Amino acid sequence: MNSERIQIPTLLAKVKTAQEAAALIEDGMVVGSSGFTRAGDSKAVLQALAERAQSTPLKITLLTGASLGHDTDGLLAESHALYKRMPFQSDNGLRSHINDGEVLFIDQHLGETAELLQAENIRPVDLAVIEVAMIRADGLLIPTTSVGNSATFVQQAKQLIIEVNMAVPTSIAGIHDIHIPERYPFRKPILIEKVDDRIGSIGIEFDPAKVVAVVFTNLSDSAATIAPPEAKTDAIAAHLIEFFEKEVHKGKLSYHLLPLQAGIGKVANAILQGFVNSPFEGLTMYSEVLQDSTFELIDAGKMDFSSASSITVSKEWYQKLFINFERYKDKILLRPQNISNAAEVIRRLGVIAINTAIEFDIYGNVNSTHIYGTKMMNGIGGSGDYARNAYLSIFVCQAASKNDTISHVVPMVAHVDHTEHDVDILVTDFGLADLRGLAPRERAKVIIENCAHPDYREALMDYYTRALEKGGQTPHLLGEALSWHERLQKTGRMTSELERV
């Protein structure tokens, strides 16, 4: 079995335990790990490092593709092993250490990390920990369920630790398309004209001399938390489907639409599920993550092909996927995230980007990352890569939450991730605002009337009307603009009972 998974004989002598491999990671190192939205991540070595740090203090800078699974981020944070983390995370424990200031967090566009490393604009990777399904005799590492930044980490790292995951069948070979763009000023076009175009290799080229340890694991990815559709997500999906149908009737789109992108999470997944019972077919996807909904659309005959950087699915779908892998294998591709999130390709393909907001304001600015403007949630992820370059940039969220005590349509967002200039469509469970071609004063009316929860519309319109008296291209009352957030902190609701009557 070892020789099937490790086809370079000299590497068989480098098989170690996770603890032995973790001992090779030194204090102060920059460590790059495979893993993108809990898929294809280090499942043994980083956990062993967290255990080691409890008795032998050390701190590393950890770079990944996106979030890690198996509570690894939280364990590293609790053992105080993290000095700096980038470019994305979604762990409650790590989040607390970031917001307390113990762990420095760089919230990057996911398409930029590899670019910054290649240009030597951030510290280079000292050691990379990469999960693979197999090491081929031709010098290729076959990734598992994600690519992320692994190819760049492997290329740059001085040392490599390879985790060979026996839980992933070797039949996964063939779904990856590994391409590393040339360094500037020798960069060539990324020649993807259709979502199923292949431009690279099925594996990651590597130097066996860099390998300092090979560790065997037998663990599945952490399962994605997929909530079933409910009234609010069903309503958002219905508004979007209606909008797309109108675009078809106007001759702007066909029933094939254009390639879809959807952010990670239960809202985006539930919205994509809405396409199952829609008139749209022959759909394609150029995204970051393939979720349950992607494979449901394939099964329903709605989705023809999907390209992304990882497969992040529920436990049920993880098992179903690999039991029936041949059914899906010729319908998916996994790419490095600086290719899946490349501005050039997104713009060329005309991607329809659907991402989730924490809140948005009456002029169309979107907050995707911070509660009260200061507390980090997960990170911007790839939403900015797509929003800035998409044919249609769509942001969705519920109009209000917590028994409607919190409005997600506010006078001014407490933190801006996506400016009004990069937002085309806003959707809540109460309606859809098409902002294309609208000036700020026009946008405000459309957003309040179509997207705000009825309990908050009057207060929002009152704010806007009084702001108009002050004038300006984008009218605001600076003394009140964040008062809704301040009131929420003090009283647990955004507006007073009197204002809600």
Side-chain angles (χ1 to χ4, degrees), residues 201-234:
S201 168
I202 66 167
I204 302 170
E205 294 182 8
F206 79 110
D207 179 358
K210 288 184 177 182
V211 177
V212 294
V214 178
V215 176
F216 280 94
T217 66
N218 195 358
L219 293 168
S220 300
D221 291 334
S222 289
T225 302
I226 302 296
E230 41 86 27
K232 290 184 178 182
T233 55
D234 283 346

Side-chain angles (χ1 to χ4, degrees), residues 61-116:
T61 293
L62 178 62
L63 284 65
T64 60
S67 53
L68 299 175
H70 296 277
D71 301 318
T72 299
D73 268 326
L75 293 170
L76 288 167
E78 289 300 321
S79 64
H80 308 290
L82 293 179
Y83 165 66
K84 187 178 289 185
R85 181 74 170 87
M86 65 180 86
F88 186 84
Q89 56 77 43
S90 62
D91 185 274
N92 288 332
L94 174 55
R95 185 181 303 133
S96 295
H97 287 267
I98 289 170
N99 288 322
D100 288 344
E102 179 189 339
V103 179
L104 299 178
F105 179 55
I106 298 179
D107 183 20
Q108 289 178 328
H109 297 297
L110 295 187
E112 290 188 354
T113 307
E115 301 296 316
L116 290 167

Side-chain angles (χ1 to χ4, degrees), residues 183-443:
R183 293 190 60 158
Y184 297 108
F186 307 106
R187 180 66 58 93
K188 297 176 182 177
I190 300 172
L191 298 176
I192 297 175
E193 298 178 19
K194 308 186 304 299
V195 297
D196 58 349
D197 281 347
R198 282 187 168 273
I199 59 171
S201 168
I202 66 167
I204 302 170
E205 294 182 8
F206 79 110
D207 179 358
K210 288 184 177 182
V211 177
V212 294
V214 178
V215 176
F216 280 94
T217 66
N218 195 358
L219 293 168
S220 300
D221 291 334
S222 289
T225 302
I226 302 296
E230 41 86 27
K232 290 184 178 182
T233 55
D234 283 346
I236 292 170
H239 295 313
L240 271 175
I241 296 298
E242 181 184 9
F243 166 76
F244 289 135
E245 288 190 86
K246 289 180 179 178
E247 293 292 282
V248 171
H249 294 154
K250 293 174 183 176
K252 296 180 180 180
L253 293 170
S254 74
Y255 277 104
H256 302 317
L257 297 180
L258 287 164
L260 299 171
Q261 177 266 334
I264 186 70
K266 62 182 182 181
V267 175
N269 189 71
I271 289 168
L272 281 182
Q273 287 175 327
F275 282 97
V276 170
N277 297 314
S278 76
F280 299 98
E281 57 186 5
L283 299 172
T284 58
M285 177 173 284
Y286 194 84
S287 190
E288 301 167 300
V289 182
L290 307 184
Q291 302 181 74
D292 286 22
S293 54
T294 305
F295 298 100
E296 288 169 6
L297 288 168
I298 291 173
D299 279 354
K302 296 287 188 175
M303 180 76 70
D304 286 353
F305 199 91
S306 298
S307 167
S309 194
S310 79
I311 299 170
T312 302
V313 292
S314 64
K315 182 178 180 179
E316 174 189 356
W317 260 104
Y318 191 91
Q319 295 171 343
K320 182 178 179 180
L321 179 63
F322 285 115
I323 290 173
N324 302 281
F325 194 61
E326 292 304 319
R327 171 179 173 80
Y328 304 104
K329 188 172 181 178
D330 64 347
K331 297 178 177 65
I332 60 175
L333 275 182
L334 298 184
R335 310 179 191 271
Q337 67 196 66
N338 55 328
I339 302 300
S340 67
N341 293 41
E344 170 191 353
V345 181
I346 295 166
R347 182 66 60 90
R348 181 184 302 119
L349 296 180
V351 170
I352 296 173
I354 306 170
N355 288 287
T356 306
I358 290 175
E359 63 183 5
F360 55 83
D361 67 27
I362 60 175
Y363 296 110
N365 299 292
V366 172
N367 172 15
S368 294
T369 59
H370 285 72
I371 304 299
Y372 299 121
T374 60
K375 299 291 187 181
M376 172 59 67
M377 280 296 289
N378 300 331
I380 193 170
S383 57
D385 295 321
Y386 289 92
R388 181 68 182 88
N389 301 289
Y391 168 78
L392 280 175
S393 174
I394 302 169
F395 283 91
V396 303
C397 70
Q398 54 188 321
S401 63
K402 304 293 184 183
N403 295 319
D404 299 333
T405 59
I406 300 175
S407 174
H408 295 278
V409 185
V410 294
M412 178 187 283
V413 289
H415 176 88
V416 181
D417 290 295
H418 312 282
T419 72
E420 60 185 277
H421 314 292
D422 297 334
V423 179
D424 297 317
I425 310 291
L426 292 171
V427 194
T428 70
D429 43 314
F430 281 90
L432 180 147
D434 186 347
L435 308 182
R436 293 173 294 177
L438 301 185
R441 294 181 182 222
E442 296 172 304
R443 287 199 294 267

Side-chain angles (χ1 to χ4, degrees), residues 44-55:
V45 175
L46 292 184
Q47 297 243 351
L49 180 67
E51 294 175 9
R52 174 188 165 204
Q54 292 176 7
S55 57

